[in-house]
Amino acid sequence: MPPMRTPEELTDVFRASGRNVTAQRQCIFRILQGDETHPSAEAVHAAACREMETISLKTVYQTLHDLAELGEIAALDVGTGMTRFDPNVDDPHHHLVCRRCGSVRDLVVDFPDLAVPDGADLGFEVGSAEVVFRGLCPSCQDGARRPSAAARV
């Protein structure tokens, strides 16, 4: 996966678009750097609070949505109950979603023959497709294999 722009590059992108660059936004840029977990706004907020206790969830949401509007991240709804944010906007890819813990990971694979069958498009002009595979991540698989405390008694 290509790296997301650096915090310094995101600062330049924000300034070039006429947006203010605050210490809170720079904190968010640092948190997103190298994060491949597709974090929710709440997860970004929790991490930001460790660095800057007074940062508001509203600021995190606004900054993430500004980044999405600028094309620097993608806002995803993969059925986990909250919007997730994906910094990989350059490479076409799909997603793996854990049905137990909700973790999301990129799946870089090409489906060259994926298309809506003739006549089934209901008049839509289809431009792209996203595939979401659901299952259990390695951590949840390990947890499912361990006997519960009740079973050991």
Side-chain angles (χ1 to χ4, degrees):
M1 176 176 99
M4 180 178 169
R5 290 184 196 256
T6 66
E8 295 78 19
E9 290 169 327
L10 290 176
T11 296
D12 293 343
V13 168
F14 258 57
R15 285 195 177 122
S17 72
R19 289 171 169 88
N20 290 330
V21 178
T22 63
Q24 291 87 349
R25 285 184 163 174
Q26 289 179 321
C27 173
I28 294 165
F29 299 162
R30 285 190 300 276
I31 287 163
L32 291 173
Q33 181 66 37
D35 188 336
E36 297 179 0
T37 67
H38 302 71
S40 65
E42 291 78 7
V44 173
H45 180 250
C49 283
R50 289 191 286 278
E51 184 176 326
M52 189 175 276
E53 288 181 21
T54 60
I55 192 167
S56 74
L57 183 57
K58 180 180 178 187
T59 297
V60 171
Y61 268 106
Q62 185 61 54
T63 302
L64 293 172
H65 286 287
D66 285 347
L67 285 167
E69 186 179 300
L70 291 167
E72 295 299 326
I73 61 176
L76 303 174
D77 179 356
V78 291
T80 61
M82 61 185 67
T83 300
R84 307 293 288 264
F85 294 91
D86 186 353
N88 184 359
V89 293
D90 294 327
D91 289 339
H93 64 280
H94 304 282
H95 293 98
L96 299 162
V97 178
C98 181
R99 67 177 183 261
R100 182 171 294 151
C101 72
S103 68
V104 180
R105 293 293 186 273
D106 287 348
L107 175 64
V108 180
V109 64
D110 189 19
F111 299 108
D113 299 326
L114 182 64
V116 176
D118 288 339
D121 62 11
L122 304 174
F124 279 73
E125 182 180 313
V126 178
S128 66
E130 300 168 15
V131 178
V132 175
F133 291 90
R134 298 183 193 286
L136 293 177
C137 70
S139 295
C140 288
Q141 289 174 50
D142 288 347
R145 289 187 191 121
R146 287 191 201 111
S148 69
R152 288 185 294 231
V153 176

